[in-house]
Amino acid sequence: MNSILLLALIPLVPLLAVPAILVTAQRPNLREAASLLTGLLLFGLVATLLGQVDLQAPPTLVLAEPLPGLSLALSPEPLGMLFALVASFLWPVTTLYAIGYMRAHHEDNQTRFYVAFAASIAATMGIALSANMLTLFVFYELLTLATYPLVTHAGDAAARRGGRVYLGLLLSTSIAFLLLAMVWTWQLTGTLTFTAGGVFSESVDPTILSVLLVLYVFGTGKAAMMPFHRWLPAAMVAPTPVSALLHAVAVVKAGVFTVLKVVIYLFGIDRIEQLAVADWLAALAALTILLASLVAMTSDNLKARLAYSTVSQLGYITLGAMLGVAAGVVGGGMHIVMHAFGKITLFFCAGAIMVAAHKTRVSELDGLGRRMPLTMLAFLIGSLSIVGLPPFGGTWSKWLLVQGTLDTGMWLLTATLLISSLLNIMYLVVIPVRGFFAKPASDAEGLQEAPIASLLAIGVAVLGCIVLFFSPDPIYQLMNGVFR
Amino acid sequence: MSLVDHLPVLVVIIPLMAGPLCVLVERPLAAWGLALAAAWLSFAAAVALAAQVNGTGVISYELGGWAPPWGIEYRIDTLGSYVLLIVTGIAALVMVAAKESVASEVPEAKVARFYAALMLAFAGLVGIVATGDAFNVFVFLEISSLASYALISMGRDRRALTSAFDYLVMGTIGATFILIGIGFLYMMTGTLNMQDLAARLPEVWDTRTVRAGFAFLTVGIGLKLAMFPLHLWLPNAYTYAPSVVTAFLAATATKVAVYVLLRFMLDIFGIDFALGRMPFEYILLPVGVIGILSASLVAIYQVEVKRLLAYSSIAQIGYMLLGIGLASTTGVTGAILHLFNHALMKGALFLALAAIAYRLRSTSLQDLTGLGRRMPWTMFAIVIGGLSLIGVPATVGFVSKWYLVLAALEQGLWPVALLILLGSLLAVVYVWKLVEAAYLTEPRDDVAVQEAPLSMLIPLWVLVIANVYFGVNTEVSVGLARQAAAVLTGGAG
């Protein structure tokens, strides 16, 4: 198939699922089959595109030209392909999981749920393939809006509150900072196209560049840098499949992806290395990592703990981007993938526990391993991968990030990463350990696992964590492509 | 001369004649039919004119065959044809929706006179734009204003009467100021033709009379366009007028006032005088910024949706003034673009409110509860219109914000750029109040409400789609705005 056609189809296919879902609204089996099939089709398309396109001389598809000289355009590049690949692979997996979860949980408005889900994926694909900052911004905002109905799915007072924080923080940071930074960049350089090595000429004042970098990083609220991280825990009012795919993979990764794109293709990492403000931002990322870990330790609500763990893990990627060295950026890019598989496993498990055992608090999970051995085992593997222990995927990205901090000689950052790993053990790994070895609070009632569809999805995610340890090379090579 | 040569005057004459005819036919349905036909014919004429201007340049039409500057000249340039398109297009769409809405809000005996007044208001607005004569502007302004006072007073609520009276007082002061200003200019130059005025004014720039005339005109036009702090008449007038009138006026009347401001300040006085010799930008920038922020803040606390949107309109006018005050081609482009874009947004939003008022007989925030399920199409239109108001990408609002922020940054005024964006954030708050009320609360059980009739939904959705279409494909809107701005600012950067 023609690459241009593929580029057009990738954001379009999830959108095509919308009418299919609406038509089959009355027949849940067909509706979910439609979702699942589109997911598989989408992954197939992304994989095909990756297989046939020459990423060093990528084709560009111009969708429209809303402003003179500024177009909405799609163009594949290594980092974007990586992101698209992860999101499109995990979408059908999450759909599989959602089928079990949503039915067992007797959720209302399931059709709206699947429609908004498909729209969110379409926006994510747009972000991944965007050829310039304007396109990225457009899809970034659409993603915020498309996920809003998912966050407020329950429709009660708590959902309304969560939705307000979610939308308020994401929209206001992006409008006040990101848009400003973007218009400013356009005014300075006359281009917003992602260009290898950056777009700013040597003559641009470093002070202005520093201000711009700060605006870009804080403007990308989805990267959840403190103090603009509050939306992520607030989003946990959403049903668990949403938290799993969108708030562990698509939305948050869209944030750090944007930061990486800006660093690599608007500033160029050499420029980043020269800017003193990047060091400060790296320090702030380190602070985010530690503080979020501490908050996670004190959260008894399982999903809130996972959310803060995500905030902390996103800090890794922002930190990697701000180092201004190749290892940091490559490590950051790989961490998008590794963390995605690890964290989605954890969320899947949290949802499974909620559905099967009706427990949402960490303190209630003692001894649950006897009732839900498979789920707890998966939880263990997911947490170990996030900690960065072999034989799980998280090892490699953490390795590269540590190497990046060593390359810059900022040993405090190295220390932060290592301390954070220890903290991870204390607040994540402890859960399955107590699940297996602590004495249950109530009498165990025998085996009571999650719905089979959900278990299948968990299995796929766990398998991903393991496979990524043994063959990280394709991803590493792909990520390295950004510097070729 | 063929009919085509008379287009500049036909666009005005058609609605002007339709007015009295509406009274004569008396039957509501016939009056509506006449008004509808007149609005669409006028729109067709405006489209033809725009094509003609685009092809052959400025059109000059001598009324009664008297050559200017002695006779009255009708003059249509790029800016004029652009505003004509907006006004007639909105009028044509609003007329489609008017039938049901007016039937439910205006007593049957008054309907024919209602359409007559609406046609006169429309003719006045079109006339202001078409004419090339300063005194003619005043005449048409009075025609449209007097008709608007009558229209507003026909609102269902008795408070419509006092708000029409307030508007009458403020509007008359404004019109008088404009008249005095024009009088001063006539005194110094002996001409009323706009081109002639523009040519003769530089000789007498440094006289106190011309400066006083400039001041009178600024304040007079400021009153008409509800420039902060001269906006006090607007919220009540928009809230209590019949829904269709609000939709029509919100999308056209203030736009025409902005047009008059542009025409007088940048065209007749010229940018060198207005911004060089008079401290125009030091008035417009602060007034614009304060208007944006204060009106948006007030909008947040409104419980009546029409009033909320009325305050939002005042804020949007602030954006246009700001764009003019930035005094660059980009800034004026942003202002003219926002004039077009805001007409699309507010036209859509107020038409949606008309649909809600038609079904619920109320547009207060608490009555919107759960309406997302009861009137899905209408509410979704409000969501898209609201997103456009915020300036979310892929809507027209984004394009105008882009130009305004860019213009501010070009001048190195980054605090202004930040304030423009802050205005967007305030818009998020008041728009989201509507969304939460409509989608995140349970529907009230006591009223059975269904979707609005198709005759209202179709014009509404035409506007909504235009909001998205012109947000993605800006060839026409930006192209024309840029062309007009380049002429007004003398091509200066």
Side-chain angles (χ1 to χ4, degrees):
Chain A
M1 221 187 299
N2 182 313
S3 310
I4 292 284
L5 183 65
L6 276 174
L7 269 180
L9 279 177
I10 286 173
L12 203 64
V13 159
L15 274 188
L16 289 181
V18 171
I21 293 166
L22 287 175
V23 166
T24 54
Q26 300 308 317
R27 302 163 72 185
N29 286 338
L30 266 180
R31 178 186 66 197
E32 267 114 279
S35 280
L36 205 56
L37 282 178
T38 354
L40 291 172
L41 177 64
L42 179 66
F43 177 66
L45 288 174
V46 176
T48 316
L49 180 65
L50 182 66
Q52 72 175 51
V53 80
D54 174 13
L55 290 177
Q56 299 313 316
T60 302
L61 168 69
V62 178
L63 303 172
E65 193 172 305
L67 300 158
L70 251 183
S71 54
L72 288 181
L74 301 178
S75 174
E77 61 59 71
L79 181 62
M81 285 311 295
L82 191 68
F83 181 39
L85 215 52
V86 177
S88 64
F89 177 76
L90 290 176
W91 183 33
V93 178
T94 309
T95 311
L96 186 66
Y97 176 82
I99 293 169
Y101 177 90
M102 297 298 277
R103 291 186 182 184
H105 223 235
H106 306 292
E107 294 271 1
D108 295 329
N109 295 322
Q110 293 199 21
T111 302
R112 187 178 76 192
F113 173 86
Y114 285 108
V115 166
F117 218 114
S120 306
I121 295 298
T124 307
M125 290 300 130
I127 292 176
L129 296 177
S130 51
N132 56 43
M133 194 60 212
L134 180 73
T135 316
L136 197 155
F137 182 76
V138 169
F139 285 110
Y140 181 98
E141 297 290 53
L142 290 182
L143 181 58
T144 308
L145 296 172
T147 45
Y148 177 78
L150 293 170
V151 171
T152 55
H153 186 82
D156 53 14
R160 209 156 42 233
R161 242 186 348 264
R164 250 182 230 169
V165 176
Y166 184 78
L167 198 81
L169 266 176
L170 289 184
L171 271 189
S172 52
T173 49
S174 66
I175 290 178
F177 306 137
L178 193 56
L179 180 58
L180 183 65
M182 196 166 72
V183 182
W184 205 339
T185 308
W186 168 255
Q187 198 249 323
L188 285 172
T189 64
T191 179
L192 288 177
T193 308
F194 292 125
T195 316
V199 296
F200 294 102
S201 68
E202 286 299 321
S203 58
V204 178
D205 185 1
T207 321
I208 292 183
L209 276 188
S210 306
V211 174
L212 275 175
L213 185 62
V214 172
L215 284 176
Y216 271 118
V217 171
F218 285 131
T220 314
K222 291 194 171 105
M225 266 280 257
M226 278 183 179
F228 298 113
H229 66 288
R230 279 281 311 146
W231 64 270
L232 185 53
M236 292 300 135
V237 294
T240 308
V242 174
S243 308
L245 184 61
L246 297 173
H247 300 117
V249 182
V251 175
V252 290
K253 295 299 151 55
V256 285
F257 172 77
T258 307
V259 172
L260 281 171
K261 279 283 242 195
V262 166
V263 163
I264 302 172
Y265 296 109
L266 287 185
F267 284 81
I269 59 166
D270 299 336
R271 225 33 194 301
I272 294 289
E273 204 186 359
Q274 293 160 11
L275 290 177
V277 77
D279 295 344
W280 287 101
L281 287 170
L284 189 65
L287 202 65
T288 304
I289 295 174
L290 293 179
L291 286 178
S293 298
L294 293 177
V295 179
M297 281 174 96
T298 56
S299 314
D300 193 30
N301 183 305
L302 182 55
K303 277 178 79 177
R305 181 175 289 199
L306 293 181
Y308 274 103
S309 156
T310 305
V311 173
S312 153
Q313 296 290 316
L314 294 173
Y316 280 51
I317 303 172
T318 313
L319 190 150
M322 290 303 139
L323 291 176
V325 293
V329 171
V330 174
M334 286 184 74
H335 203 58
I336 288 184
V337 185
M338 304 304 180
H339 175 249
F341 278 90
K343 195 45 75 59
I344 206 168
T345 310
L346 296 188
F347 271 110
F348 281 171
C349 294
I353 292 169
M354 204 187 288
V355 166
H358 306 290
K359 296 195 192 308
T360 55
R361 308 196 151 274
V362 176
S363 50
E364 300 167 338
L365 302 184
D366 286 358
L368 197 69
R370 282 166 231 183
R371 282 168 63 192
M372 306 180 69
L374 292 174
T375 306
M376 272 301 169
L377 186 66
F379 201 105
L380 181 67
I381 294 176
S383 355
L384 288 177
S385 181
I386 286 180
V387 173
L389 289 179
F392 305 108
T395 317
W396 299 119
S397 54
K398 214 160 236 187
W399 179 284
L400 280 166
L401 285 168
V402 168
Q403 194 192 325
T405 57
L406 291 174
D407 284 351
T408 57
M410 291 189 271
W411 61 270
L412 265 176
L413 298 181
T414 319
T416 307
L417 292 180
L418 297 178
I419 294 172
S420 161
S421 291
L422 291 179
L423 290 173
N424 278 335
I425 296 180
M426 286 165 74
Y427 68 82
L428 283 181
V429 180
V430 74
I431 297 172
V433 170
R434 289 186 67 91
F436 282 116
F437 298 110
K439 207 170 130 11
S442 58
D443 296 329
E445 303 135 32
L447 219 57
Q448 194 182 17
E449 267 295 355
I452 186 76
S454 301
L455 275 183
L456 268 175
I458 294 176
V460 175
V462 166
L463 214 59
C465 289
I466 299 171
V467 168
L468 283 172
F469 175 78
F470 291 103
S471 54
D473 206 48
I475 294 174
Y476 181 72
Q477 292 305 336
L478 187 60
M479 234 352 256
N480 254 326
V482 297
F483 295 116
R484 227 169 275 141
Chain B
M1 274 174 125
S2 70
L3 197 64
V4 177
D5 297 323
H6 292 292
L7 277 178
V9 73
L10 275 177
V11 76
V12 186
I13 292 283
I14 294 169
L16 196 63
M17 290 293 118
L21 280 180
C22 283
V23 182
L24 288 179
V25 296
E26 233 181 340
R27 287 214 322 280
L29 197 65
W32 171 72
L34 255 173
L36 182 72
W40 279 93
L41 278 175
S42 198
F43 178 54
V47 171
L49 276 175
Q52 213 176 326
V53 171
N54 201 25
T56 57
V58 180
I59 304 171
S60 171
Y61 178 86
E62 297 160 9
L63 210 61
W66 295 83
W70 297 280
I72 291 172
E73 180 198 14
Y74 275 26
R75 196 180 161 82
I76 317 258
D77 57 5
T78 312
L79 177 64
S81 66
Y82 190 65
V83 179
L84 274 183
L85 270 184
I86 300 171
V87 174
T88 54
I90 294 283
L93 285 174
V94 167
M95 280 307 161
V96 177
K99 187 183 158 220
E100 304 277 352
S101 181
V102 170
S104 81
E105 287 185 29
V106 177
E108 205 185 325
K110 284 192 195 166
V111 170
R113 272 173 283 161
F114 174 89
Y115 282 115
L118 195 54
M119 278 298 110
L120 288 181
F122 175 43
L125 292 175
V126 174
I128 294 173
V129 183
T131 187
D133 184 280
F135 187 74
N136 235 252
V137 168
F138 169 74
V139 173
F140 279 121
L141 193 71
E142 279 297 272
I143 293 179
S144 79
S145 299
L146 289 172
S148 315
Y149 309 142
L151 285 171
I152 291 167
S153 69
M154 286 191 215
R156 214 165 29 195
D157 197 305
R158 281 182 60 194
R159 278 170 287 186
L161 293 174
T162 52
S163 36
F165 185 72
D166 282 350
Y167 185 23
L168 170 73
V169 174
M170 303 275 267
T172 307
I173 295 174
T176 313
F177 271 43
I178 293 175
L179 184 62
I180 296 174
I182 294 174
F184 279 7
L185 299 190
Y186 182 61
M187 215 163 98
M188 294 308 292
T189 59
T191 182
L192 286 170
N193 183 285
M194 289 181 182
Q195 292 309 101
D196 212 24
L197 269 172
R200 285 167 194 266
L201 268 176
E203 296 166 22
V204 286
W205 264 357
D206 285 324
T207 57
R208 195 166 292 163
T209 319
V210 169
R211 289 204 203 112
F214 182 84
F216 269 113
L217 278 168
T218 309
V219 177
I221 299 170
L223 263 165
K224 275 291 167 191
L225 61 72
M227 175 199 290
F228 179 90
L230 307 172
H231 63 278
L232 294 171
W233 57 268
L234 188 142
N236 276 332
Y238 279 18
T239 310
Y240 300 118
S243 305
V244 173
V245 174
T246 310
F248 176 69
L249 289 182
T252 57
T254 45
K255 308 296 162 298
V256 170
V258 172
Y259 163 83
V260 175
L261 187 76
L262 282 168
R263 181 62 81 205
F264 270 94
M265 301 310 156
L266 299 186
D267 200 12
I268 296 182
F269 282 101
I271 197 159
D272 293 332
F273 180 80
L275 301 169
R277 288 160 185 262
M278 296 294 270
F280 203 41
E281 73 263 47
Y282 296 111
I283 299 171
L284 287 191
L285 275 185
V287 157
V289 169
I290 298 172
I292 293 170
L293 297 182
S294 64
S296 301
L297 277 175
V298 176
I300 291 172
Y301 294 101
Q302 299 306 315
V303 289
E304 163 67 48
V305 183
K306 266 184 166 180
R307 188 181 285 276
L308 184 154
L309 290 181
Y311 276 106
S312 148
S313 278
I314 298 170
Q316 304 299 317
I317 289 164
Y319 285 113
M320 296 174 217
L321 295 176
L322 188 82
I324 303 174
L326 285 168
S328 62
T329 309
T330 316
V332 177
T333 305
I336 298 176
L337 198 59
H338 201 51
L339 192 144
F340 174 72
N341 293 343
H342 183 235
L344 293 182
M345 302 170 201
K346 277 292 150 63
L349 285 170
F350 277 117
L351 268 189
L353 283 190
I356 289 175
Y358 178 73
R359 285 294 185 215
L360 290 180
R361 317 217 117 237
S362 151
T363 52
S364 72
L365 199 58
Q366 62 192 19
D367 289 323
L368 248 61
T369 47
L371 219 55
R373 250 178 245 177
R374 297 272 171 81
M375 302 176 74
W377 288 98
T378 310
M379 271 323 294
F380 200 60
I382 290 190
V383 171
I384 296 185
L387 291 178
S388 190
L389 206 54
I390 295 169
V392 167
T395 60
V396 287
F398 177 71
V399 186
S400 5
K401 293 277 155 69
W402 176 276
Y403 273 96
L404 291 171
V405 172
L406 186 64
L409 287 177
E410 272 179 5
Q411 311 268 329
L413 294 169
W414 60 267
V416 174
L418 254 181
L419 288 173
I420 294 173
L421 296 171
L422 187 64
S424 287
L425 298 186
L426 294 174
V428 174
V429 180
Y430 61 72
V431 167
W432 232 256
K433 274 178 70 173
L434 306 183
V435 173
E436 279 190 1
Y439 288 95
L440 294 176
T441 44
E442 283 306 306
R444 282 183 11 191
D445 299 326
D446 51 330
V447 266
V449 176
Q450 17 161 337
E451 188 50 87
L454 266 186
S455 70
M456 300 181 88
L457 279 183
I458 290 172
L460 169 61
W461 272 86
V462 169
L463 282 172
V464 168
I465 290 168
N467 264 297
V468 176
Y469 178 79
F470 287 108
V472 178
N473 183 351
T474 56
E475 222 178 298
V476 178
S477 56
V478 172
L480 285 177
R482 214 177 168 82
Q483 222 175 312
V487 173
L488 285 177
T489 54

